[in-house]
Structures are given as structure tokens and as C-alpha cells.
Amino acid sequence: MVPDITEILSQIEPNNPAAADQLLPVVYSELRKLAQARLGNEKPGQTLQATALVHEAYLRLLGPKHAGDQKWNDRGHFFAAAAEAMRRILVEIARRKRGPKAGGHLKRVELHDDLSPDTPSDPGLIEISDVLERLEEQDPRAAQVVKLRFFAGLSRHEAADALGVSVATVDNDWAYARGWLKVELDRSIDGS
């Protein structure tokens, strides 16, 4: 019988490391799928593997320094926290790559047969993260809906359960957030 995730989460405390050890085998495959989905949205050239992302996120959530720091209400709440941890890890890596030591000021330009530069205008992870932080200041619940739906891959119903609101509220927040983010991302890409 597969142990209940919510039951294991309720047992995690600083003085009960066995519960955290018991959780990993139960959630690993779902965390790996989540990590693969997150990495699939990244630009080519990402060197981080899904396994490493899962392990780093898990350590941030339940490692020796963090065990018992946070309580999760249920499966959805835990996976939302895991998705947020993965997002932060990817943003940190992207920021490091943009740093002066990594040649971050230099832009890669690919030339095609016609020698015209290929300059994609899609926003990078850092820009999305920055815009999402601005949305969080303006409408925290809408930002949470984006994190749950986009980053954690939760359904409308799962996101509603995780937030303790109706599905209609999640749908409204999702529609608002998508429009707001599009306008802000377009603005940041255009440089205005």
C-alpha cells in the first residue's frame, strides 16, 4: 500500500527526520516530472538535469537545515512549494549565468545561411520571475494561481483546493494574471 502523502507531511518535524526520508520515495516520480516540465520550458543549453533539480529542491524544502520549518496542508500545497523552490533555483542559476564572471553581458547570436542574426524575443526565466514578483505585489492570490498552474502543473481544481477558493475564483485569477503578465512581459521586452 502506498503511504498517504498528506499523512507523511503532517509527521514532518525537526525531531522526526524519518518522515522526510519516507516522503521522498513517495513523491520522487512526481517531482521528477515537474522538474522535467520546468526544464522543458528553458532555453536550449540548460546544463542542469531534472534529477539534480529535484534533489536541490527537496533539500531546500526538507533538508537538515529546513526539516520542520514549514507545514504543508496537503499534496497540492507541498507540490506548489516544490515548484516554487525549483523556480527559484532556476532563476538563481540564470542570474549567475548573467553575471560578469560568466560573460553575462555578452549575447549569443546565431547566424543562419542568409547571415541574418536570429534574435528571439521570447522572455527568459529572469524576466518572467521579475514580472511575477511585481504581480505578487499587486495581486498575491493571482500570482499564487500562476505558480500553482504554470510552475506546479496543478489543475484548476487542485489549485482551488490548495488556495481554499472556488474553481471560478481560480479561473478569474488565471485569466487576469495571464493578461497582466502578457502586457508586462511585452513591456519589458520592448524596453518601455
Side-chain angles (χ1 to χ4, degrees):
M1 182 175 142
V2 176
D4 180 42
I5 293 173
T6 305
E7 184 179 318
I8 296 170
L9 289 170
S10 70
Q11 297 171 5
I12 294 176
E13 297 173 2
N15 57 357
N16 186 5
D21 292 341
Q22 186 183 10
L23 181 65
L24 184 58
V26 176
V27 298
Y28 185 81
S29 66
E30 287 185 68
L31 287 175
R32 189 141 169 42
K33 287 177 192 171
L34 181 61
Q36 286 173 322
R38 286 299 317 128
L39 290 171
N41 292 333
E42 293 298 304
K43 291 182 179 178
Q46 176 60 260
T47 56
L48 185 66
Q49 299 295 318
T51 302
L53 182 57
V54 168
H55 288 238
E56 179 65 26
Y58 194 81
L59 283 174
R60 288 190 183 194
L61 293 172
L62 293 161
K65 295 179 183 177
H66 307 288
D69 286 353
Q70 182 173 350
K71 296 289 182 198
W72 293 281
N73 302 331
D74 56 21
R75 177 189 174 284
H77 189 205
F78 173 77
F79 282 102
E84 177 65 12
M86 289 180 193
R87 182 183 74 83
R88 289 176 187 234
I89 291 164
L90 292 171
V91 168
E92 289 169 10
I93 291 169
R95 287 191 197 283
R96 269 197 308 267
K97 285 182 178 178
R98 272 202 183 167
K101 287 185 179 179
H105 64 287
L106 303 173
K107 298 237 185 242
R108 180 182 178 143
V109 176
E110 293 189 28
L111 297 177
H112 297 288
D113 290 337
D114 64 359
L115 299 181
S116 63
D118 179 23
T119 55
S121 62
D122 62 324
L125 183 63
I126 294 173
E127 289 80 9
I128 292 171
S129 181
D130 291 345
V131 171
L132 188 57
E133 286 175 11
R134 290 198 308 262
L135 174 61
E136 196 162 25
E137 291 170 6
Q138 191 171 61
D139 192 333
R141 192 181 64 210
Q144 273 303 109
V145 168
V146 171
K147 290 176 184 178
L148 292 172
R149 298 284 323 274
F150 183 74
F151 291 104
L154 298 184
S155 70
R156 297 166 43 237
H157 297 282
E158 290 170 329
D161 287 343
L163 293 172
V165 298
S166 70
V167 174
T169 300
V170 166
D171 289 342
N172 290 338
D173 286 345
W174 180 243
Y176 166 74
R178 285 177 47 204
W180 192 92
L181 290 169
K182 180 174 179 0
V183 168
E184 291 299 309
L185 285 170
D186 287 347
R187 219 180 262 162
S188 70
I189 290 170
D190 294 340
S192 48

